[in-house]
Amino acid sequence: MKAVVTGNEMKAIDTYTIQEMGIPSLVLMERAALSMVCRMKERIDRADRILCICGAGNNGGDGVAVARILFGQGYSAAIYMAGNPEKWTEETKKQIQIARNVGVPEYNELDLTHIRVLVDGLFGIGLSKTVREPYHTLIEKVNQWRGRRKERQVWAVDVPSGLSSDTGQPLGCVLKADYTVTFGYMKRGIILYPGRELAGKCFVENIGFPGKSLQVHPSAGFTCHVQDFEQLPKRKNDSNKGTYGKILVIAGSKNMSGAAYFAGRSAFVVGAGLVRILTPEANRVILQSQLPQAMISVWEETDRDSLANMLAWADTLVIGPGIGTSEIMAQRLKSVFAGSQCPIVLDADGLNLLAEHEEWYSLLNGRTILTPHMGEMSRLTGCSIDELKADRGKAALKLARERQIICVLKDSSTVVSDGKHLYFNQTGNHGMATGGSGDVLAGVIGGLSGAGEGLFKAAYMGVFLHGSAGDAAAARFGFRGMTSVEIIEGLIEILKN
Ligand SMILES: NC(=O)C1=CN([C@@H]2O[C@H](COP(=O)(O)OP(=O)(O)OC[C@H]3O[C@@H](n4cnc5c(N)ncnc54)[C@H](OP(=O)(O)O)[C@@H]3O)[C@@H](O)[C@H]2O)[C@@H](O)CC1
Ligand SMILES: Nc1ncnc2c1ncn2[C@@H]1O[C@H](COP(=O)(O)OP(=O)(O)O)[C@@H](O)[C@H]1O
Ligand SMILES: [K+]
């Protein structure tokens, strides 16, 4: 797991490293610039004209140092100081002095005529509020210059200028990058859309922040990488089907058997020992033939006692895919919530019904994972989708904290919160915007929870795994060709490896 920080969290780590650990600010800046130059050299030519646009803050200081190091190595690099000289920080002043001593060319006006590579050191994590003039016009001018011309490159220092490092939203306008080299730790704004797109390919560079700085100023956010597959529950030789969890999937309605199939099959694929699907009679034959490994129960034959038995049998309930929002289903759900004690993964129409029955939260808190997409989240919270997208992390954290549940806020950039921590997902792709994809996720999380994972871990590992499965599916079948069936194939493939 790797930390994902806000601008303020990063500033606290910066300050602690400089003031308490005694690593001078200029040393960090030199390492930042060096790491950026190393990345750039993999992708630029010696003949390229490079211009570093630098603001008054330390992001500008980094930019000046990048120009000086490239110039020193024989590259044709120059500086354009865009910030107000009265606002130059001490570090930036020093960097300019060094660059002038060394003889790095300096532009007095922005002239992009022969430039091929542009380094954006205008604003980093110090940007606050909407970008003011004259910087707004400057950013638009650079974006126009870049246009769609593939031979031109823009490299952002730390974060693309104009991007909120906390939310991934543009603060008025953003200087769009092809590459971003970010220092210390990944920033939230670079993972969350539209920031992820605006940042281009991102490199996270360790520039010497001691681990202690993060321990003293821990970040609330984190993400997972390939090596975190190690965290999945281990299987034992000396085990049986009861060892890996019994999942009761309450899903499907007439003409919606697929939702039950996807959730049930996915729970099996992540390793569940036993899966029972509770669904209307109309789905019985379909599911028995499509998913014979599952046990099927139907609502029409379920009375109070048999429901109580099913609920007592289950280690985890997955509820909601394709159930509809009828009054009879609302009554059934209420009895399920009141009659069960195990963890619940609540998805789709289960969430839509919950939005209409706030009083159910008292039956759910402390043991439930909610998996809303933006529309369902809007119904649950009363906030508009635009408000939610403005700060996804905050929205997930707030719902989780207020309702004492785990919130999986699904989107192109999914976030998961337990009310204290925030997981930022980096796996998955637009090929997953396909019917049934969310049902697969509900089954995956249910399967992990049934195998004994804690709720929060089941939720974020489930999201990580589901996105990785989508990436495997895209690699094999392409973004258009992949459907939820192929996402499950992807799951099988990555879990095998
Ligand atoms: N600490 C360290 O030693 C290290 C720091 N590092 C680097 O420092 C960066 C952070 O530097 P920072 O804190 O100086 O802020 P920075 O991003 O340059 O922005 C401040 C400037 O922007 C301006 N400005 C702000 N809002 C604005 C607006 N809306 N519209 C217009 N202008 C606006 C603001 O002007 P002001 O608002 O004060 O008038 C000020 O001039 C960080 O991202 C990383 O690159 C690394 O080298 C590692 C070591
Ligand atoms: N552009 C995208 N990039 C990454 N993941 C995506 C994208 N679009 C959708 N997804 C993922 O696919 C799933 C879709 O879930 P949902 O909207 O509930 O679908 P359905 O209701 O069809 O099952 C979510 O996990 C979401 O994060
Ligand atoms: K920048």
Side-chain angles (χ1 to χ4, degrees), residues 59 120-124 156-161:
N59 194 251
D120 158 26
L122 201 51
F123 313 120
V157 179
D158 207 17
V159 283
S161 296

Side-chain angles (χ1 to χ4, degrees), residues 138-411:
L138 187 156
I139 288 175
E140 284 189 337
K141 194 170 167 189
V142 175
N143 282 341
Q144 262 171 20
W145 163 84
R146 170 65 178 80
R148 288 174 177 273
R149 301 191 56 172
K150 288 252 161 49
E151 73 280 10
R152 294 178 176 171
Q153 293 181 11
V154 175
W155 286 76
V157 179
D158 207 17
V159 283
S161 296
L163 185 72
S164 160
S165 41
D166 298 353
T167 65
Q169 294 295 323
L171 291 170
C173 60
V174 175
L175 204 159
K176 185 172 177 341
D178 299 289
Y179 304 98
T180 295
V181 182
T182 200
F183 308 126
Y185 301 98
M186 184 51 136
K187 315 296 181 294
R188 288 185 187 184
I190 298 175
I191 294 187
L192 297 171
Y193 283 104
R196 198 189 298 190
E197 206 126 50
L198 294 165
K201 182 168 173 55
C202 182
F203 306 98
V204 184
E205 294 295 328
N206 171 6
I207 60 167
F209 294 105
K212 195 171 169 194
S213 302
L214 185 64
Q215 281 161 21
V216 175
H217 294 281
S219 71
F222 66 98
T223 189
C224 286
H225 293 281
V226 176
Q227 56 273 25
D228 294 304
F229 281 123
E230 289 291 318
Q231 288 190 46
L232 289 171
K234 301 273 178 295
R235 290 179 74 91
K236 293 175 273 211
N237 290 327
D238 185 14
S239 59
N240 60 63
K241 58 184 179 286
T243 315
Y244 302 110
K246 303 188 282 295
I247 317 295
L248 177 61
V249 176
I250 300 181
S253 50
K254 192 171 177 216
N255 299 327
M256 288 280 264
S257 58
Y261 168 85
F262 287 125
R265 174 126 195 258
S266 308
F268 266 126
V269 166
V270 297
L274 291 167
V275 175
R276 176 180 290 279
I277 298 176
L278 176 56
T279 192
E281 171 68 43
N283 294 332
R284 190 202 302 254
V285 177
I286 303 166
L287 289 170
Q288 270 170 346
S289 55
Q290 293 298 312
L291 197 63
Q293 56 273 56
M295 297 175 283
I296 310 294
S297 297
V298 298
W299 281 113
E300 288 80 352
E301 287 173 6
T302 300
D303 59 15
R304 224 167 57 177
D305 287 348
S306 54
L307 182 63
N309 286 340
M310 276 186 252
L311 297 176
W313 168 86
D315 294 313
T316 289
L317 310 177
V318 175
I319 306 177
I323 58 173
T325 52
S326 62
E327 184 47 40
I328 181 162
M329 193 46 80
Q331 284 166 22
R332 285 168 178 165
L333 280 205
K334 191 176 173 202
S335 344
V336 167
F337 296 151
S340 63
Q341 277 160 356
C342 65
I344 298 176
V345 181
L346 192 61
D347 185 41
D349 283 332
L351 298 167
N352 294 330
L353 283 169
L354 175 63
E356 289 167 18
H357 297 272
E358 261 194 54
E359 68 281 7
W360 288 355
Y361 278 108
S362 62
L363 302 170
L364 295 175
N365 34 72
R367 61 167 175 136
T368 305
I369 300 170
L370 306 185
T371 59
H373 58 48
M374 284 289 172
E376 289 153 355
M377 187 69 167
S378 174
R379 266 163 251 145
L380 284 173
T381 59
C383 297
S384 70
I385 292 180
D386 282 346
E387 283 168 328
L388 296 170
K389 287 202 173 193
D391 194 342
R392 296 168 174 84
K394 194 169 146 195
L397 198 80
K398 186 164 182 278
L399 185 74
R401 185 175 293 158
E402 286 179 1
R403 300 301 191 176
Q404 293 170 52
I405 48 87
I406 308 295
C407 177
V408 175
L409 180 51
K410 296 186 296 197
D411 197 11

Side-chain angles (χ1 to χ4, degrees), residues 14 25 57-59 62 87 123-128 130 132 158:
D14 267 353
S25 184
N58 282 351
N59 194 251
D62 288 347
K87 294 282 183 81
F123 313 120
I125 57 172
L127 179 73
S128 55
T130 306
R132 298 188 295 266
D158 207 17

